[in-house]
Amino acid sequence: MMNSKKWAAAFVGLIVLVLVGIMSLNYFVDPYKYFSSQSGDYYEADENDYLREQKAQHIKKFNPNYDAYLVCGSKGGALRTEKLKELDGYDYYNCWVLSGNLVDYLAYVQYILENTEAKKILLQLSTSELHEFSREDHGDIYEVPAIVSGESKMAEYMKFLMMNPSVAWEELTGEKAEKYPCLPTGERNLTKYYQYYNSTASAENFNYGSYILWNSAKYFKYMDQDVPEKPRTLEQIVFTLREIERLCKKKGVELQVIYAPLFAAQMMRYEGETFYDLLEESVMIFDEVWCFNNFNGLTLCPYNFYNISHFFYEMGDLMVDTMKGKDTGYENFGVLLKRENVGTEIAKRKQKLAELKAFYLKNRTLPYEGFSSAYNLKKIYG
């Protein structure tokens, strides 16, 4: 019969065995692709994995390959680095992160400045960042990784070893979902979105347009009510933007800032005095800011977006062409805001917003562009 010491030893041994089992399962299955990403050249991670870690490790190991870095949220995933090179001849890395926010942007800008010989930072902002200053509480893959934040790498390593094993077990035994890994230079893989577009979008088939419009209906409530103002979030964002500008200036690194295009219906969610104040503050901080977040035929065309929040590669290309000064044939897409015109441009936005709201109140919809419209950018990448 076992005495108390033997029982205790057996119990401790069982605990150790269970812990080793959990750690082994998490390490070898690697459901968040945290361990795989440590090499810096792991290119099988997609948006459901811990991309923040993968991108940081890639920058650490392969930064000699790049002159410039795009820092942004998921909207910027559609800005192709090959196209961005046309701006200035620099080789870019696309450092977009899922549900990007100003906490991420400051952390990655600082990390890039401290660990690379970057010549330029291209910072893309979005009005959706007014919704939340930080999104780290959304889950583990939304946290700034230790390699970027400077927190304990060992503690982070142990955290991923000791994750709930049910996630790893589900990945090991469950039905395998198809993955769409980001490109080696960081861009988001839009293959599945182009596939859906090609199978459902045509002049005769309105399924794709219905999919975008149905998902954007939740924003229609802002047609007859004011958007909630976010003075505290605005204060935090402005402080962070000033810090990013200060860090780049101190390091002698060029900083260019752009606002991403949004689908017009989603723009209604943020179109208010807080956003107008942010535009003015951005111009005061950076002197010049490209704003592609404006009402026009392109942003009123659902076929230019692969969901209500994100645009296709073709619109990203058009942004670059516009910044290069090319005659694209599309009016009002992209405005270079400066101190002398920002007030006028905001007044134009307010006027356009009033027109769209009046149209909606009369017709219960917006004047969207259809599949056959000249504003539907021809898809060349899918």
Side-chain angles (χ1 to χ4, degrees):
M1 187 171 180
M2 295 179 66
N3 58 34
S4 59
K5 289 184 177 180
K6 289 182 178 180
W7 276 112
F11 182 68
V12 170
L14 179 62
I15 292 176
V16 170
L17 187 63
V18 169
L19 292 177
V20 169
I22 291 173
M23 290 189 288
S24 298
L25 183 65
N26 278 323
Y27 181 83
F28 289 108
V29 176
D30 198 8
Y32 302 98
K33 302 301 175 281
Y34 172 80
F35 302 107
S36 302
S37 295
Q38 300 308 304
S39 65
D41 59 355
Y42 180 75
Y43 304 122
E44 298 303 317
D46 69 7
E47 58 215 53
N48 298 310
D49 300 316
Y50 195 17
L51 277 182
R52 285 167 168 78
E53 174 71 10
Q54 186 272 332
K55 287 177 178 285
Q57 292 291 352
H58 181 80
I59 291 171
K60 178 181 178 182
K61 306 289 198 317
F62 295 96
N63 66 82
N65 296 342
Y66 307 108
D67 307 303
Y69 297 83
L70 171 63
V71 176
C72 57
S74 52
K75 291 178 178 60
L79 283 165
R80 301 183 309 110
T81 56
E82 182 180 357
K83 187 68 178 180
L84 287 173
K85 189 171 183 177
E86 295 181 13
L87 285 175
D88 39 40
Y90 291 152
D91 290 313
Y92 278 81
Y93 180 71
N94 189 324
C95 189
W96 74 273
V97 293
L98 190 66
S99 294
N101 55 84
L102 270 295
V103 171
D104 286 317
Y105 304 161
L106 175 58
Y108 277 89
V109 167
Q110 193 162 14
Y111 176 74
I112 289 166
L113 295 177
E114 291 175 354
N115 293 279
T116 78
E117 298 298 323
K119 298 176 182 176
K120 178 179 177 180
I121 298 290
L122 178 59
L123 176 64
Q124 178 176 274
L125 303 173
S126 169
T127 47
S128 58
E129 282 131 26
L130 284 169
H131 184 58
E132 292 175 298
F133 178 67
S134 172
R135 294 173 180 168
E136 287 195 293
D137 60 353
H138 285 206
D140 296 301
I141 66 171
Y142 298 93
E143 295 179 0
V144 177
I147 189 176
V148 175
S149 68
E151 297 180 4
S152 171
K153 182 68 176 177
M154 180 60 71
E156 180 184 74
Y157 202 87
M158 289 303 299
K159 183 185 80 169
F160 278 92
L161 282 176
M162 296 302 296
M163 285 288 196
N164 186 335
S166 65
V167 179
W169 183 253
E170 175 64 24
E171 180 160 324
L172 182 66
T173 61
E175 184 178 349
K176 300 295 185 291
E178 190 167 2
K179 295 184 73 68
Y180 296 89
C182 291
L183 305 186
T185 49
E187 296 96 317
R188 194 174 195 174
N189 187 331
L190 303 186
T191 300
K192 63 181 177 182
Y193 301 108
Y194 279 103
Q195 288 174 343
Y196 182 69
Y197 178 92
N198 291 331
S199 66
T200 60
S202 69
E204 298 76 27
N205 186 345
F206 196 61
N207 285 349
Y208 187 87
S210 297
Y211 152 71
I212 298 291
L213 299 183
W214 183 84
N215 280 283
S216 63
K218 60 186 176 183
Y219 299 115
F220 287 166
K221 65 182 180 181
Y222 298 107
M223 299 296 182
D224 51 14
Q225 70 181 61
D226 293 331
V227 301
E229 301 300 339
K230 299 267 191 170
R232 174 55 180 161
T233 305
L234 174 64
E235 181 182 335
Q236 292 173 308
I237 290 174
V238 170
F239 177 85
T240 305
L241 292 178
R242 286 178 179 151
E243 182 64 7
I244 289 173
E245 192 274 339
R246 185 190 70 81
L247 290 171
C248 289
K249 186 175 182 179
K250 180 180 179 181
K251 195 76 172 180
V253 172
E254 179 186 355
L255 175 62
Q256 185 175 18
V257 179
I258 58 180
Y259 276 88
L262 274 70
F263 184 47
Q266 190 188 38
M267 288 170 63
M268 298 294 182
R269 168 68 176 83
Y270 307 101
E271 199 74 12
E273 292 303 321
T274 299
F275 175 52
Y276 302 143
D277 289 344
L278 177 58
L279 283 181
E280 289 186 317
E281 290 285 359
S282 298
V283 172
M284 295 303 110
I285 296 168
F286 304 114
D287 293 328
E288 292 186 353
V289 175
W290 273 103
C291 183
F292 293 95
N293 174 14
N294 39 34
F295 296 109
N296 53 68
L298 291 165
T299 56
L300 280 163
C301 181
Y303 298 97
N304 292 326
F305 298 84
Y306 59 87
N307 56 37
I308 59 172
S309 302
H310 302 90
F311 53 89
F312 280 111
Y313 292 138
E314 288 78 10
M315 185 169 277
D317 283 5
L318 192 64
M319 292 166 64
V320 174
D321 288 340
T322 303
M323 288 188 283
K324 284 286 291 180
K326 293 183 180 179
D327 182 7
T328 65
Y330 295 102
E331 295 182 4
N332 303 320
F333 179 70
V335 178
L336 183 59
L337 298 178
K338 303 179 182 181
R339 297 187 183 211
E340 55 266 31
N341 73 347
V342 62
T344 302
E345 291 299 328
I346 289 174
K348 289 180 181 178
R349 293 183 73 99
K350 291 180 178 180
Q351 177 61 36
K352 186 64 177 178
L353 177 64
E355 293 172 3
L356 290 173
K357 283 187 173 182
F359 184 95
Y360 174 80
L361 293 175
K362 180 179 180 181
N363 302 284
R364 309 314 294 179
T365 187
L366 291 176
Y368 295 118
E369 298 290 337
F371 180 83
S372 301
S373 168
Y375 288 103
N376 180 11
L377 298 174
K378 182 180 179 181
K379 306 301 180 285
I380 61 176
Y381 297 111

